[in-house]
Amino acid sequence: MPKFKKEKKRDNRSNKKAFNEEFAYKTVIKSVIFAGFFFTLSILFNMEIITFFVNLGELWFIIDIIIKLVAILLFFFFMVISIGNYKELTGRPLDFKLILLMFVLSLLQAFRDPIVFTFTFFGLAIIIIYMFFVQES
Amino acid sequence: MHKISVSGFRTVKRIAIKLIILMFITSLTVSSYLLVINGSGADLEIKPLYGQAPVIDGEIDTSENEWNKAIKEHLNLYPNESAPENPLLVDLWVMQNGSNLYISIQFSFLHNSFEFVGLLISSNQSENPEDFTDAKIVRFSNISTNEYTYKDYYLNNSIYEEDTNSNGSGAGKIEGEDVIYEFVLPVEYNESDPEDVFLEYGTDEESGHIFKIIMGDSTDPPSYPEDIRISNNVLIKITYNPLPTELTQEELLILIFSIIIFGTSGMLYVFYIYRIVKLKERIERIRT
């Protein structure tokens, strides 16, 4: 009788582990899809393939900057979430080098526009600080 | 055998990481060079591209893609160019269409009744005052009704004399604090006219003309150069280029750099998806 109980407990634990893995894997997939969407948006606007906001006045100029900025920041945000979960699934921590690589790759997307570049730099720094504190808590 | 291959893989991985870091340090250095856009004095050099001729009316019709091929720069105008303080930042747009040079100057300011903006043109790349022998000025006579006049002057020892034959044209329009000035100047037109600087196409480093952008509020009648309040120089090199969409060297560099950045990011993204798929397979293998 006690032996049977132990096996049941072990089954529950392995089921829970499988469920967590499944959940983490789904998060990896969802995050990478979102990141892909924002990366495409970033290519369109930051590579200046879409430029119809230019010359339409100050408001559209600001909207153009916001789109470029948000696309890069959310790309970085979702990629870090996805890579973080991926690393957790493989049993390794998300190391500093990967975050630095993502930071540089995201920042360089804004190289055409100095305003976007400046705001992206600070935005990325804020996201990293935010994630660091979330992780700590 | 197994140990050797693992250490070999680690060495390759280490080299790859070093290479990636080196590549991005180089990229950052290049991008920081490209970020410098504000010009000051004749440090600003513009090689106008070909585009469709805009209507010179003080308005930019975006539905007609007016000025969309213009080189767009920022320029600070100073009360005293030798002591650059208290600048007024203006947008400077320059383009050409094979027979004319088009220049637009835009800024936001509390406008004065007889405000004017003009172009003083040097016969070459010299910034000496005596080499500016031609002036094109758009001056408002009534800002509330947007009434203006365009005048073509010949500068004789800094004395502004109106041309016998006015060349080119200009326009201005004020809306609130925003103002748009537009100029059109003929290129390689009437070399024998002593009252105008002969704007010519050039390909070498020596070619090009210094344009002094001037702005001021005049008395009525105007008195130049006393009424000029702020100014700055820009070097415009008009190059003959029959291909309207040909990329400049800088544009080509930016395009290549963009492809490298977004291409690298894209490839890493695809590689990461591949790793995710592999991870799924590994998880399933462990479970079974």
Side-chain angles (χ1 to χ4, degrees):
Chain A
M1 193 66 179
K3 261 186 188 177
F4 175 74
K5 266 188 181 173
K6 258 185 190 173
E7 269 174 22
K8 201 178 173 185
K9 245 185 195 173
R10 212 173 289 153
D11 277 355
N12 280 342
R13 225 177 281 158
S14 66
N15 280 345
K16 201 176 175 186
K17 196 184 167 193
F19 175 77
N20 281 342
E21 274 177 1
E22 197 63 39
F23 179 75
Y25 188 77
K26 274 183 183 166
T27 316
V28 169
I29 299 286
K30 278 180 191 169
S31 309
V32 87
I33 289 169
F34 278 120
F37 169 76
F38 288 110
F39 181 57
T40 313
L41 202 66
S42 176
I43 289 175
L44 292 174
F45 282 88
N46 286 302
M47 243 183 122
E48 294 180 2
I49 295 167
I50 293 178
T51 54
F52 52 69
F53 291 154
V54 181
N55 301 350
L56 287 179
E58 215 162 89
L59 180 69
W60 288 103
F61 173 74
I62 294 167
I63 290 171
D64 184 57
I65 286 175
I66 290 170
I67 292 172
K68 286 173 178 172
L69 180 68
V70 167
I72 297 172
L73 293 183
L74 290 180
F75 163 73
F76 175 79
F77 183 72
F78 285 113
M79 274 308 282
V80 170
I81 289 175
S82 180
I83 294 170
N85 285 327
Y86 174 89
K87 285 282 178 184
E88 198 169 314
L89 280 172
T90 56
R92 290 183 209 133
L94 177 61
D95 59 352
F96 177 72
K97 265 184 277 180
L98 259 176
I99 294 178
L100 185 70
L101 177 68
M102 285 308 305
F103 182 88
V104 174
L105 276 175
S106 305
L107 190 61
L108 283 178
Q109 289 176 31
F111 87 101
R112 274 172 176 254
D113 191 328
I115 301 169
V116 180
F117 189 89
T118 312
F119 281 108
T120 304
F121 180 82
F122 289 111
L124 292 174
I126 289 166
I127 290 174
I128 290 172
I129 293 166
Y130 167 77
M131 284 186 160
F132 176 76
F133 280 111
V134 165
Q135 191 75 13
E136 284 291 292
S137 62
Chain B
M1 184 68 191
H2 178 71
K3 272 187 179 176
I4 291 165
S5 67
V6 168
S7 69
F9 174 71
R10 278 183 187 156
T11 313
V12 172
K13 202 177 159 189
R14 230 176 282 144
I15 292 167
I17 289 167
K18 277 181 188 169
L19 271 175
I20 288 170
I21 290 169
L22 191 71
M23 196 173 82
F24 285 112
I25 289 170
T26 316
S27 308
L28 270 178
T29 314
V30 177
S31 69
S32 60
Y33 162 75
L34 291 169
L35 285 171
V36 182
I37 61 151
N38 275 8
S40 165
D43 292 341
L44 182 60
E45 181 185 314
I46 296 176
K47 285 181 182 168
L49 298 177
Y50 272 53
Q52 205 183 341
V55 180
I56 303 300
D57 55 1
E59 284 181 33
I60 292 161
D61 190 352
T62 48
S63 63
E64 292 291 324
N65 288 325
E66 271 193 349
W67 294 94
N68 70 333
K69 290 283 176 191
I71 301 279
K72 292 157 185 151
E73 296 281 357
H74 300 302
L75 182 72
N76 282 317
L77 304 185
Y78 300 105
N80 181 359
E81 284 176 49
S82 51
E85 287 173 350
N86 305 319
L88 173 70
L89 185 68
V90 301
D91 289 334
L92 178 66
W93 294 7
V94 185
M95 60 174 281
Q96 61 161 320
N97 73 339
S99 53
N100 294 310
L101 177 70
Y102 296 89
I103 299 173
S104 174
I105 295 144
Q106 301 154 34
F107 54 87
S108 293
F109 199 66
L110 285 172
H111 302 286
N112 297 301
S113 306
F114 301 108
E115 178 184 297
F116 68 87
V117 159
L119 309 168
L120 305 190
I121 309 163
S122 171
S123 48
N124 46 44
Q125 286 197 17
S126 165
E127 293 182 43
N128 293 329
E130 61 269 22
D131 287 314
F132 290 98
T133 55
D134 193 6
K136 321 277 182 191
I137 297 175
V138 170
R139 175 179 164 271
F140 281 95
S141 49
N142 187 345
I143 57 167
S144 54
T145 54
N146 270 314
E147 284 174 42
Y148 62 84
T149 52
Y150 167 79
K151 290 275 173 71
D152 190 359
Y153 293 95
Y154 168 63
L155 274 71
N156 187 3
N157 290 325
S158 297
I159 296 165
Y160 287 61
E161 292 172 7
E162 228 177 299
D163 280 16
T164 324
N165 298 313
S166 176
N167 282 316
S169 71
K173 190 165 187 181
I174 293 177
E175 274 184 355
E177 288 188 2
D178 301 329
V179 65
I180 297 171
Y181 288 93
E182 291 179 323
F183 294 90
V184 54
L185 316 173
V187 182
E188 297 209 341
Y189 175 77
N190 198 1
E191 196 173 0
S192 58
D193 187 350
E195 294 179 334
D196 278 319
V197 165
F198 182 67
L199 296 175
E200 54 187 329
Y201 294 111
T203 48
D204 55 21
E205 282 303 305
E206 302 298 315
S207 64
H209 300 267
I210 294 283
F211 282 70
K212 188 184 281 294
I213 315 293
I214 57 167
M215 186 254 174
D217 46 6
S218 70
T219 47
D220 198 21
S223 173
Y224 306 120
E226 292 79 12
D227 292 336
I228 298 171
R229 299 280 175 262
I230 48 176
S231 62
N232 206 349
N233 295 339
V234 55
L235 172 63
I236 298 179
K237 288 185 170 180
I238 316 163
T239 50
Y240 183 71
N241 177 4
L243 294 171
T245 52
E246 195 173 301
L247 295 171
T248 62
Q249 206 173 359
E250 193 183 338
E251 275 182 328
L252 189 68
L253 191 70
I254 291 173
L255 183 68
I256 292 169
F257 196 59
S258 298
I259 291 168
I260 291 171
I261 291 168
F262 287 98
T264 311
S265 304
M267 278 192 294
L268 289 173
Y269 181 78
V270 171
F271 176 69
Y272 176 58
I273 288 173
Y274 167 76
R275 292 288 295 266
I276 293 171
V277 173
K278 283 280 164 195
L279 178 73
K280 179 79 177 169
E281 285 171 8
R282 204 163 28 157
I283 290 169
E284 276 167 5
R285 217 167 35 233
I286 291 165
R287 272 187 203 160
T288 53

